[in-house]
Amino acid sequence: MVAFVLFSIRRAWQGFWRNALMSLAATLTMVLMLTLLAGFFVLQNVLLASLTFVEQKVEVVAYVQNTATQDQVNALVAKVQAMPEVASVQFVSRDQALANFRQTLAAQGRPDLTTSLDQNPLYASVNVKLRDPSQLSAVVSAIGDQPIVRSVINIQALVDRVLTFTSVVRSAGIAILGIVGVIVLFIIVNTIRLAVVARAEEIEIMRLVGASDAFIRWPFVFEGALVGLLGAMITLGLLLLASQPLSQAMVSFFNVLPIELGSVGRDTTALVLGTGVGLGVLGAWVSVRTYLIR
Amino acid sequence: MTSPETASPSLFGRLAGRSRPVRTSHDVVVLHDVTKRYPNGRMALRDVDLVVPEGDFVFLVGPSGAGKSTLMRLLIRDELATQGHVVVDGDDLARLRRRAVPRVRRKIGVVFQDFKLLPRKTVWENVAFALEVTGTPRAKIRPAVDRVIALVGLTAQAAQIPTQLSGGEQQRTAIARALVHDPRIIIADEPTGNLDPVISWEIIQLLLRINELGVTILMATHDAEVVTALRKRVVALEEGRVIRDELGAAYHRED
Ligand SMILES: Nc1ncnc2c1ncn2[C@@H]1O[C@H](COP(=O)(O)OP(=O)(O)O)[C@@H](O)[C@H]1O
Ligand SMILES: [Mg+2]
């Protein structure tokens, strides 16, 4: 058994180098296809991450009547907090609202005209973050019905648009990734098939001298795996080289969005390695099958 | 992984001059009522009956398209008979499990008109290849390859690659490869088809010597001169039928 595996690996290695041109062509095709696949995968993840970030920003802001007492406000906050759709609630007092406003003006370098006012024109507000932005209208109407609530900012239209966009990106992304995946599968399997067909004579001789199916199949399967592994490693190397300038560009492009991309690198590595080796093995397996004992 | 040869001592045993096996007569190839129809509807063999006792030398003659190659493909179970039985050394090929096919193929050495050598391997490597891909331990490969290469007279050319060899030497390499599994039968499909007459005779002489060592030989050929000169058994095919099966015969019917 060990001897058989060693034999297969040795033959795979010899086979790879004896048909170096064919193997290199297969590996390069593999690199191209895997880069394409990885590119789409990363792109989709970045888009989804930024959309998730936008979704998290969805907030219901309810302005509170100036006549409301602190008790009434506390009761409102507690009540809203208890709603299952709600992630967090924050009360912003009138003074705090004014301070925030002044800070924003100062940050934008605009003259602060509020100092000339004899009283604070802003309302206190209850700011509600949602667990699920699709529950916006339910939360808005529940809060709007409270007597001490003066008005609720309705950003339904905006949120709907973001949600539609997100779901389009999500399903279109999966569809495109699926299509790219099928193309990659087809091209890689066919390239490996070419490499196997180039050795048809050798396989025929193996059959004629009484080699068993395993002795015919496994060297090619290992060779397919080798092409896959090599292609995947080259692809990952290229991605690593490209990732630094790319993420720089990404940060300056989305500089307002501190996107969480921690797992994308790991997922991409797994995707590229798995697809490369998997398709190499699959391609060799199906290509060599036509030559086995009928 | 090689199967034990229970019935006969090895070719090398015989080569080494040990006593020839004493055995009751045994038919290594039996075709009974064999019909082969290819998937495209072509009838390549019809109602073929053929019995070849061990040690025979049989010429298979007939015009191109008569079904000679098809008959040989049936013997190595490259194709299955549409009807009838093909029995090789006691195994009915139609009932043979797939896993057992390689074992039967190792009992049959095949030689073709176009040699089928691997162009980038040396003579020695081409012969060793047959043992490597059937899982023979390395220690056994070297002596076995050296012996068959000596038998076909290529020891001096062992390190050359096929393009450095003459056609006759290439065919002798192929014969060495066919012998290296110590087969019961050699099937040669027009082995001299690409060779000039003098070289053809050398190849025939080699096959005769191998036959004398007890290996059954089945050779398809168009070479009337060789067939007629040797007076061996002649089986003539025409349009897939056996039209003649004679001992000590000529290429053409002599009535
Ligand atoms: N793989 C195949 N598929 C279909 N027909 C075939 C195939 N091989 C051979 N034949 C046909 O079977 C007949 C016998 O061919 P073959 O056995 O090669 O004859 P020979 O070797 O005597 O020249 C021919 O008519 C040939 O065209
Ligand atoms: Mg033929």
Side-chain angles (χ1 to χ4, degrees):
Chain A
M1 188 64 205
V2 176
F4 170 70
V5 171
L6 285 180
F7 163 86
S8 300
I9 291 174
R10 190 157 41 86
R11 294 258 315 141
W13 184 255
Q14 284 172 359
F16 185 88
W17 291 110
R18 266 184 206 258
N19 295 46
L21 213 64
M22 207 67 192
S23 313
L24 242 58
T27 308
L28 281 184
T29 311
M30 184 77 93
V31 169
L32 269 172
M33 292 299 120
L34 290 179
T35 308
L36 186 70
L37 192 68
F40 271 101
F41 182 72
V42 171
L43 198 69
Q44 197 208 355
N45 270 283
V46 168
L47 256 175
L48 281 179
S50 24
L51 286 171
T52 306
F53 178 78
V54 171
E55 277 182 14
Q56 281 165 358
K57 279 282 182 192
V58 169
E59 226 180 21
V60 174
V61 177
Y63 292 108
V64 176
Q65 302 279 17
N66 288 344
T67 54
T69 65
Q70 189 61 44
D71 283 350
Q72 283 174 311
V73 168
N74 289 346
L76 176 63
V77 168
K79 192 166 186 172
V80 172
Q81 187 86 72
M83 294 171 72
E85 301 91 342
V86 168
S88 70
V89 185
Q90 193 197 3
F91 176 69
V92 180
S93 70
R94 299 180 68 196
D95 292 345
Q96 217 174 322
L98 186 63
N100 290 350
F101 183 55
R102 285 180 172 154
Q103 221 168 14
T104 311
L105 288 179
Q108 293 176 346
R110 295 198 300 196
D112 187 356
L113 304 173
T114 56
T115 44
S116 60
L117 295 171
D118 53 352
Q119 67 166 55
N120 184 350
L122 300 178
Y123 293 100
S125 65
V126 172
N127 298 359
V128 182
K129 282 214 165 78
L130 301 183
R131 274 187 215 291
D132 178 359
S134 66
Q135 299 303 312
L136 181 76
S137 64
V139 175
V140 166
S141 66
I143 297 176
D145 288 346
Q146 301 299 313
I148 61 162
V149 171
R150 198 177 163 275
S151 66
V152 181
I153 296 181
N154 198 345
I155 51 165
Q156 185 67 50
L158 177 68
V159 168
D160 281 352
R161 230 172 296 157
V162 169
L163 287 179
T164 311
F165 189 54
T166 311
S167 81
V168 166
V169 166
R170 199 163 271 149
S171 40
I174 287 171
I176 290 174
L177 212 59
I179 292 168
V180 172
V182 168
I183 293 171
V184 166
L185 178 123
F186 186 78
I187 291 180
I188 291 180
V189 166
N190 269 287
T191 313
I192 302 264
R193 183 192 298 277
L194 284 182
V196 172
V197 168
R199 308 257 293 282
E201 204 189 3
E202 191 179 323
I203 300 177
E204 192 197 350
I205 293 169
M206 291 176 84
R207 272 161 35 104
L208 289 175
V209 301
S212 62
D213 282 355
F215 270 80
I216 296 174
R217 168 178 277 152
W218 283 98
F220 283 101
V221 170
F222 278 113
E223 199 177 324
L226 182 66
V227 167
L229 190 69
L230 209 66
M233 293 201 304
I234 294 174
T235 306
L236 288 176
L238 290 178
L239 288 179
L240 205 66
L241 284 181
S243 71
Q244 192 60 25
L246 266 187
S247 66
Q248 214 91 68
M250 208 84 87
V251 165
S252 56
F253 185 63
F254 292 110
N255 61 358
V256 282
L257 306 178
I259 302 169
E260 218 16 87
L261 282 178
S263 65
V264 170
R266 197 195 57 209
D267 291 353
T268 309
T269 307
L271 178 78
V272 167
L273 272 178
T275 310
V277 174
L279 289 187
V281 165
L282 183 75
W285 190 278
V286 300
S287 309
V288 96
R289 209 176 43 175
T290 29
Y291 296 100
L292 299 180
I293 293 163
R294 281 179 284 264
Chain B
M1 277 202 185
T2 47
S3 64
E5 292 286 328
T6 44
S8 77
S10 80
L11 174 63
F12 306 127
R14 282 169 259 157
L15 279 177
R18 284 182 229 147
S19 60
R20 294 277 293 264
V22 181
R23 40 187 319 183
T24 53
S25 87
H26 169 68
D27 298 325
V28 281
V29 170
V30 178
L31 275 77
H32 185 61
D33 262 347
V34 170
T35 295
K36 175 61 187 178
R37 179 205 293 271
Y38 281 108
N40 64 0
R42 193 90 198 191
M43 289 291 280
L45 292 175
R46 302 161 199 258
D47 308 324
V48 171
D49 281 298
L50 179 67
V51 176
V52 181
E54 177 148 46
D56 244 18
F57 193 119
V58 181
F59 283 120
L60 202 55
V61 302
S64 164
K68 305 182 293 293
S69 298
T70 300
L71 194 155
M72 294 185 159
R73 279 204 287 276
L74 291 181
L75 292 180
I76 56 173
R77 225 215 81 150
D78 205 19
E79 295 281 354
L80 283 170
T82 315
Q83 268 170 44
H85 295 283
V86 179
V87 182
V88 172
D89 200 23
D91 283 310
D92 183 343
L93 299 191
R95 287 191 295 174
L96 201 64
R97 293 187 342 274
R98 273 181 46 154
R99 292 171 53 86
V101 170
R103 178 176 56 78
V104 171
R105 287 191 182 150
R106 286 172 217 169
K107 290 189 210 176
I108 306 174
V110 283
V111 178
F112 295 95
Q113 181 173 358
D114 58 357
F115 319 135
K116 294 197 196 295
L117 298 176
L118 290 169
R120 281 189 277 187
K121 286 186 185 290
T122 65
V123 167
W124 202 94
E125 289 165 346
N126 263 287
V127 176
F129 185 72
L131 292 176
E132 282 169 12
V133 299
T134 48
T136 311
R138 280 186 168 196
K140 288 191 181 167
I141 291 179
R142 177 168 296 281
V145 174
D146 287 344
R147 274 183 181 129
V148 287
I149 286 183
L151 178 65
V152 302
L154 283 180
T155 307
Q157 289 87 352
Q160 289 175 9
I161 59 169
T163 47
Q164 297 168 324
L165 300 174
S166 70
E169 288 167 335
Q170 292 187 48
Q171 193 58 292
R172 281 191 276 155
T173 307
I175 292 172
R177 183 180 62 196
L179 281 175
V180 79
H181 274 299
D182 192 12
R184 309 293 284 275
I185 312 160
I186 294 272
I187 291 178
D189 194 352
E190 303 191 29
T192 59
N194 279 344
L195 305 175
D196 59 49
V198 177
I199 306 295
S200 293
W201 270 111
E202 281 180 28
I203 296 297
I204 302 290
Q205 299 292 334
L206 178 57
L207 289 175
L208 285 169
R209 228 171 62 235
I210 292 164
N211 180 236
E212 277 167 17
L213 297 169
V215 181
T216 308
I217 309 245
L218 194 58
M219 171 173 162
T221 186
H222 286 301
D223 195 333
E225 198 189 325
V226 167
V227 174
T228 304
L230 288 178
R231 296 284 157 182
K232 293 287 186 183
R233 180 175 171 193
V234 175
V235 174
L237 283 176
E238 208 174 280
E239 290 179 1
R241 289 182 202 280
V242 176
I243 55 162
R244 185 158 62 100
D245 185 350
E246 287 182 288
L247 288 171
Y251 186 86
H252 296 288
R253 184 186 293 275
E254 320 167 288
D255 287 321

